[in-house]
């Protein structure tokens, strides 16, 4: 009983944290501590966090980061949160195979793709999944869990970093979650004279 109470209270605390993060982002008050960060390090941290979850389901989790990938000026904790959200979704909905994180330089940005071997999503539902509390269909929350906040929060974090995020999928062919981050630090704002 105590373990169930503890697990439920942790879930509730996590839900409250997600709602607060979403609210902060919506009013422009989400705090960022930006520094030069290696995407490879963030990807490895995400693998360490979710490795056991993937192993328990018999799924593989691969990381492929281009060796010449430059560091990115970003908030390490927030970008790790995005990767954890996307990988958690990949692991939650995938029954066989697994997921792969692939990062490379593309058109002056770092592009990160999380490719899974899950059931895929009807393309008509993809855009709505970035709205708070949205899931692909009504049975997902009961079958797989989740609140429908992870993608909404991830979108706000990536956009606040000057990047973009999207999903590519079709039913029966898995899902690819993609996001880009600019490499360079933003130019300092000019002071008014």
């Amino acid at each position: 009983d105590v373990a169930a109470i503890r697990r439920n209270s942790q879930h509730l605390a996590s839900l409250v944290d997600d709602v607060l993060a979403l609210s902060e982002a919506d009013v422009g008050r989400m705090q960022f501590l930006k520094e030069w960060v290696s995407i490879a390090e963030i990807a490895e941290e995400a693998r360490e966090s979710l490795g056991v979850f993937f192993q328990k389901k018999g799924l593989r989790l691969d990381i492929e980061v281009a060796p010449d990938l430059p560091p990115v000026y970003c908030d390490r904790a927030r970008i790790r949160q995005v990767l954890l959200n996307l990988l958690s979704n990949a692991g939650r909905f995938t029954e066989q195979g697994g997921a792969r994180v692939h990062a490379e330089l593309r058109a002056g940005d770092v592009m990160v793709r999380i490719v899974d071997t899950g059931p895929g999503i009807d393309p008509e539902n993809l855009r709505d999944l970035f709205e708070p509390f949205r899931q692909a269909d009504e049975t997902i929350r009961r079958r797989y869990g989740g609140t429908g906040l992870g993608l909404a929060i991830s979108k706000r974090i990536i956009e606040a970093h000057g990047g973009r995020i999207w999903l590519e999928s079709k039913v029966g062919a898995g899902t690819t979650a993609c996001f880009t981050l600019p490499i360079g630090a933003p130019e300092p704002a000019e002071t008014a004279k």
Side-chain angles (χ1 to χ4, degrees):
D1 289 343
V2 172
I5 292 169
R6 181 172 187 261
R7 185 175 56 249
N8 290 335
S9 66
Q10 287 174 330
H11 174 72
L12 206 54
S14 175
L15 178 60
V16 169
D17 286 345
D18 285 349
V19 170
L20 289 174
L22 191 63
S23 298
E24 286 175 347
D26 284 345
V27 297
R29 295 184 60 194
M30 187 175 271
Q31 302 277 328
F32 295 100
L33 178 60
K34 293 185 178 181
E35 59 185 322
W36 291 103
V37 176
S38 162
I39 292 295
E41 289 176 9
I42 294 175
E44 284 301 326
E45 290 169 5
R47 185 201 332 237
E48 289 173 14
S49 295
L50 292 173
V52 172
F53 170 66
F54 274 76
Q55 286 175 353
K56 283 183 177 179
K57 288 191 72 177
L59 303 172
R60 72 177 190 286
L61 176 54
D62 301 321
I63 308 290
E64 298 173 2
V65 177
D68 60 343
L69 197 65
V72 176
Y73 192 69
C74 65
D75 184 313
R76 172 189 291 273
R78 297 290 187 177
I79 299 305
R80 182 177 52 238
Q81 179 183 3
V82 169
L83 263 177
L84 289 172
N85 286 342
L86 298 176
L87 283 170
S88 292
N89 284 347
R92 184 179 309 129
F93 299 114
T94 300
E95 300 296 330
Q96 294 180 342
R100 175 175 47 92
V101 176
H102 179 80
E104 65 184 348
L105 194 59
R106 185 172 290 178
D109 291 334
V110 168
M111 181 171 176
V112 179
R113 292 181 296 138
I114 294 87
V115 181
D116 70 46
T117 58
I121 304 166
D122 184 335
E124 292 182 19
N125 293 330
L126 291 177
R127 190 173 326 169
D128 291 341
L129 293 178
F130 288 100
E131 295 300 318
F133 303 107
R134 288 290 182 99
Q135 294 182 328
D137 73 51
E138 299 300 319
T139 64
I140 286 179
R141 186 168 286 125
R142 276 180 268 135
R143 183 169 178 202
Y144 297 103
T147 60
L149 289 174
L151 287 176
I153 292 169
S154 295
K155 182 176 192 288
R156 284 156 175 83
I157 290 170
I158 293 300
E159 289 177 350
H161 279 81
R164 62 186 207 95
I165 186 170
W166 68 97
L167 298 172
E168 299 169 352
S169 188
K170 64 181 183 176
V171 175
T175 300
T176 301
C178 308
F179 66 88
T180 61
L181 292 169
I183 293 171
E187 296 292 323
E190 292 185 31
T191 54
K193 296 187 181 189

